[in-house]
Amino acid sequence: MKALITGITGQDGSYLAEHLLSLGYEVHGLVRRIALEDPERRFTRISHLLDRIQLHAASLESYPSIFAVVSRHEFDECYHLAAQSFVAESFADGFSTMNTNINGTHYMLAALRELRPQCRFYFAGSSEMFGLVQETPQRETTPFHPRSPYGISKVAGFDLTRNYREAYGMFAASGILFNHEGPRRGFEFVTRKITSTVARIKAGQANELQLGNLEARRDWGHSKDYVRAMYLMLQQETPDDFVVASGDSHTVREFCELAFAEVGLDYRDYVRIDERFYRPAEVEALIGDSTKARTVLGWQPTYTFSEIVREMVQNDLKMILGQNQPLSEAVSEAR
Ligand code: G4F
């Protein structure tokens, strides 16, 4: 089996590549040319896989570049994970978020329809699509009410995917994934921002953590668990959409409390509220009902919330204390 992963250099892409390789897949990745030119920085999550995967340069903003890659290989499955995925950035530049996320998805679907219609397609939908939630917990039938350009772009990608399925009979499925984290998470997302700063405070390299809304509530799972659900969605007899969630929700404050406690500190001594990190429109509380994924796919998560926090803090401590890694540089670059 040959799989193409867009966004292979990201957290989910790297875990998914490992999973597919372990199942005997030939794994291909779509990367921006800039990544090929700057491999040291851009390939950190997949450096251990480079001799086992094939990378192709293409841009989600260029249909011809996607068309060229799809025309050269007979892919059986395509996992479309690449996107501008940082919600706060989508408020800063909604235009490029829309362009990359909506057109990029459309280009992938159009190229596959033209060249390889039998290729199964996975779209990375998001719980951000529920936004101002219309019911709790959120499930596949819950109406969408996105609250950010990012959320709007994901609703459009979700609708495009469903439309290709209904109009052209393609095997196109969407995962509606709730927040998923892990040691490979980008530093701009709140969980990694917290755990990396906890490590820097413990190492004496920082003395406070500036955050926005501490009361926001998320259903946090582990990326490693969630990529298994992506794979399972493409192994079904018929294409469908699935909520992937832990069913457990916690506030940003609770995440801080556990992360600081992991190194013997009290978060109240270090966390400062900074209005800059509030969003113009917030998604206050998300919690998913993944009954369908659990019954139809036979999927279930293996990590608990506290295990995720512990693994992320311990990893950041190791990076900063063990290997003299320039964690502070990476962190400031991400903001
Ligand atoms: O970690 P976040 O930036 O993730 P967010 O916005 O929930 O989105 C993530 O999960 C989605 C799935 O639901 C994905 F589709 C998306 O691509 C991304 O992976 O923020 C989580 C919460 C927000 O409510 C935010 O307002 O944390 C709050 N928060 C408070 N202070 C902060 C901060 N978020 C960030 N990034 N930085 C802060 O200082």
Side-chain angles (χ1 to χ4, degrees), residues 84-88 125-129 150 154 177-181 185 188-191 193 210-214 216-218 220 252 277-279 282-284 286:
Q84 192 303 96
S85 62
F86 186 33
V87 174
S126 161
S127 55
E128 275 292 304
M129 301 190 299
Y150 169 81
K154 285 290 172 179
L177 269 54
F178 282 63
N179 296 50
H180 43 288
E181 318 294 317
R185 191 53 149 149
E188 66 273 42
F189 298 96
V190 78
T191 55
K193 180 174 172 179
Q210 297 173 354
L211 291 173
N213 182 10
L214 295 187
R217 192 169 266 282
R218 289 291 182 275
W220 276 298
V252 173
F277 298 110
Y278 274 81
R279 294 174 183 176
E282 175 66 291
V283 172
E284 298 293 347
L286 291 172

Side-chain angles (χ1 to χ4, degrees), residues 84-158:
Q84 192 303 96
S85 62
F86 186 33
V87 174
E89 170 59 23
S90 82
F91 283 108
D93 186 356
F95 292 94
S96 64
T97 300
M98 295 282 184
N99 191 23
T100 306
N101 295 5
I102 302 177
N103 289 342
T105 303
H106 201 181
Y107 294 159
M108 284 307 311
L109 282 163
L112 288 171
R113 179 187 166 216
E114 186 69 24
L115 300 163
R116 188 84 184 148
Q118 68 273 46
C119 177
R120 295 185 168 204
F121 180 82
Y122 171 84
F123 173 68
S126 161
S127 55
E128 275 292 304
M129 301 190 299
F130 295 122
L132 189 63
V133 299
Q134 305 293 299
E135 66 174 333
T136 295
Q138 296 82 51
R139 47 180 74 88
E140 291 79 5
T141 49
T142 304
F144 297 142
H145 187 132
R147 296 266 281 172
S148 63
Y150 169 81
I152 294 166
S153 76
K154 285 290 172 179
V155 172
F158 179 90

Side-chain angles (χ1 to χ4, degrees), residues 38-94:
D38 188 7
E40 293 249 316
R41 266 194 38 209
R42 317 251 169 206
F43 289 164
T44 51
R45 297 183 182 95
I46 55 167
S47 55
H48 60 298
L49 304 176
L50 286 176
D51 56 345
R52 292 192 285 151
I53 58 179
Q54 297 178 46
L55 298 178
H56 311 287
S59 161
L60 283 188
E61 279 139 41
S62 155
Y63 181 67
S65 73
I66 290 169
F67 191 91
V69 174
V70 175
S71 72
R72 285 192 209 112
H73 305 274
E74 295 181 338
F75 297 120
D76 300 298
E77 293 173 4
C78 171
Y79 296 86
H80 178 45
L81 313 183
Q84 192 303 96
S85 62
F86 186 33
V87 174
E89 170 59 23
S90 82
F91 283 108
D93 186 356

